[in-house]
Amino acid sequence: MSGRDPLCSPRRVRRGAALTLVFAGVLVTGAATGAFPGPGAPQRRAVAAPADPAGPAVRPEAVREAAAEAMAAGKSPTEAAERAVSRSGDRWAAVYSEGEYAEFQDALDGRYTGVGLWARQEPDGRIEVTRVRPGSPAADAGIRAGDRLRSVDGHRTDGRPVTEVIALLRGATPGDGTADAPAGTTVTLGLERGTRAWTRTLRRARLSTDPVTVRRLSGGVTVVKVSAFTKGSAGAVRAALRAAPADGRTVLDLRGNSGGLVTEAVATASAFLDGGLVATYDVDGAQRALHADPGGDTARPLVVLVDGGTMSAAELLTGALQDRGRAVVIGSRTFGKGSVQMPVKLPDGSVAELTVGHYRTPSGRTVDGRGITPDLEARPEQALPRARTVLTGLGDPS
């Protein structure tokens, strides 16, 4: 399992609306009718759920009423909402404090407070740094990929889930629901590199994510890796395509992408499609559709890489490109998260998120609890070589 400090916290994972990264496909919605999109309306998020029955597990009005009654009685509206959600059976519903929800939206906008390192747990339970953001506090401290992270503020990391380690890096104590620490606060890391062990104190900083990375391979192949659909991701994908050969072979790597803004996923689909259907969805039984913009590049040979960590908005994009015959999908079955949730503001400023519907691929396939089956199965180490072989057959850039 791998994680990164921008968008993880065990409280979010524990409450279900955000797993591992943050899945929050924001869709513009109608406030009263539940219809979307609509100009100037509040936002609604499509989030993960395992094959929930059609329709919401708990009505927004019921949660609002429970919160309002609690406030009138001098009790906590947030706790009342949490009880209502807990009784509902809506597995992916969540209740956030006002501050937590603001952090959540910052994460979707590509902003976070942290030290700028990514980490994963090795088979022996040790936590290894996998990447360091240039210009971040971690980079300034000389931390490098491959270093072992032994402790965070005195808490040993060996054997801990990566989500807990990331929470410690961000300043939240795992399990007690505390908020992340603000920029400027310090965190002391215990590190190891070979036979050298040392500690270093860093100051957390406001950072921005870089969810899109590009690699050029031999044979005219461009690999565009999208780790999350945060704000600006689609623009970064388009920029990568403009910089690549006009008819060059392209790999869109969505492995480990646990979602993001649905608007960004649809805009990314628009980069490869000339209009047309991307997905349909239902909200309270009303059917709606998402369409790509016209004018996308439909000639570029394209392969999409997926795995069990490909979730939600990333599955929506994968399903569209696969159903529309635009890409060959290679890897392993995706996670299977595809429900729509509505944020409901409570009297004390906290926010409850409740499942209200599900989306389907252009051919009508349900993603929830099923995932997307790739066109070609491949183990992780085989996926990219298999993609290059397939691309050779899809087109000749010469």
Side-chain angles (χ1 to χ4, degrees):
M1 177 180 179
S2 65
R4 41 185 298 199
D5 63 344
L7 305 178
C8 268
S9 82
R11 188 172 190 183
R12 292 188 180 114
V13 172
R14 192 167 60 247
R15 290 184 172 186
L19 277 175
T20 307
L21 192 59
V22 168
F23 173 70
V26 174
L27 301 172
V28 180
T29 71
T33 65
F36 61 99
Q43 290 186 321
R44 181 167 293 177
R45 302 192 297 148
V47 287
D52 291 333
V58 58
R59 301 294 302 182
E61 295 80 4
V63 177
R64 287 197 192 97
E65 183 178 345
E69 289 177 353
M71 176 168 276
K75 299 178 181 179
S76 168
T78 302
E79 291 180 2
E82 287 176 340
R83 286 193 295 271
V85 167
S86 178
R87 291 193 298 265
S88 73
D90 186 347
R91 177 180 175 183
W92 298 109
V95 180
Y96 296 94
S97 71
E98 187 172 11
E100 285 178 320
Y101 201 70
E103 283 184 6
F104 196 73
Q105 296 302 314
D106 278 352
L108 292 173
D109 285 340
R111 304 187 304 270
Y112 69 100
T113 299
V115 297
L117 64 79
W118 286 252
R120 70 181 174 203
Q121 188 175 64
E122 296 297 297
D124 61 4
R126 296 189 303 174
I127 301 297
E128 180 181 301
V129 176
T130 58
R131 183 182 169 196
V132 176
R133 180 179 177 80
S136 67
D140 293 344
I143 299 172
R144 302 199 306 243
D147 288 346
R148 176 187 172 192
L149 182 60
R150 303 178 61 190
S151 64
V152 180
D153 280 338
H155 299 276
R156 291 194 60 81
T157 60
D158 287 1
R160 284 183 180 267
V162 172
T163 51
E164 290 191 10
V165 176
I166 299 307
L168 291 170
L169 287 168
R170 296 193 60 182
T173 301
D176 73 356
T178 56
D180 297 338
T185 56
T186 60
V187 57
T188 300
L189 308 184
L191 299 150
E192 183 178 286
R193 182 184 303 156
T195 59
R196 178 193 173 201
W198 76 102
T199 61
R200 190 68 186 269
T201 298
L202 287 65
R203 288 192 178 275
R204 298 181 179 93
R206 289 287 285 170
L207 302 170
S208 60
T209 59
D210 51 354
V212 178
T213 55
V214 181
R215 285 191 294 156
R216 311 282 186 216
L217 305 182
S218 60
V221 175
T222 299
V223 180
V224 181
K225 168 74 173 176
V226 185
S227 60
F229 286 108
T230 54
K231 188 175 181 179
S233 298
V237 171
R238 286 184 177 276
L241 297 181
R242 287 194 299 268
D247 56 354
R249 303 179 180 104
T250 300
V251 176
L252 183 63
D253 190 349
L254 300 180
R255 291 176 296 180
N257 183 323
S258 55
L261 298 168
V262 166
T263 48
E264 294 291 336
V266 173
T268 300
S270 299
F272 299 102
L273 298 171
D274 186 15
L277 187 64
V278 173
T280 58
Y281 59 88
D282 61 277
V283 175
D284 296 338
Q287 298 298 309
R288 300 290 185 269
L290 298 169
H291 292 90
D293 293 331
D297 184 341
T298 60
R300 180 186 303 270
L302 179 65
V303 164
V304 176
L305 300 183
V306 298
D307 63 9
T310 305
M311 308 179 192
S312 306
E315 291 176 288
L316 182 149
L317 171 60
T318 301
L321 296 176
Q322 186 181 52
D323 281 5
R324 298 281 302 276
R326 180 61 187 88
V328 176
V329 179
I330 297 177
S332 55
R333 183 185 293 271
T334 62
F335 189 88
K337 299 173 71 173
S339 69
V340 179
Q341 283 192 329
M342 179 178 70
V344 178
K345 192 166 185 178
L346 304 178
D348 62 347
S350 58
V351 176
E353 291 218 338
L354 310 172
T355 302
V356 297
H358 303 82
Y359 72 80
R360 295 174 181 269
T361 69
S363 67
R365 289 183 294 166
T366 298
V367 176
D368 252 3
R370 301 179 182 180
I372 292 174
T373 301
D375 299 305
L376 296 173
E377 296 278 348
R379 293 195 299 269
E381 68 277 9
Q382 297 174 328
L384 187 55
R386 191 83 178 269
R388 298 183 73 173
T389 300
V390 168
L391 284 169
T392 299
L394 289 179
D396 185 351
S398 63

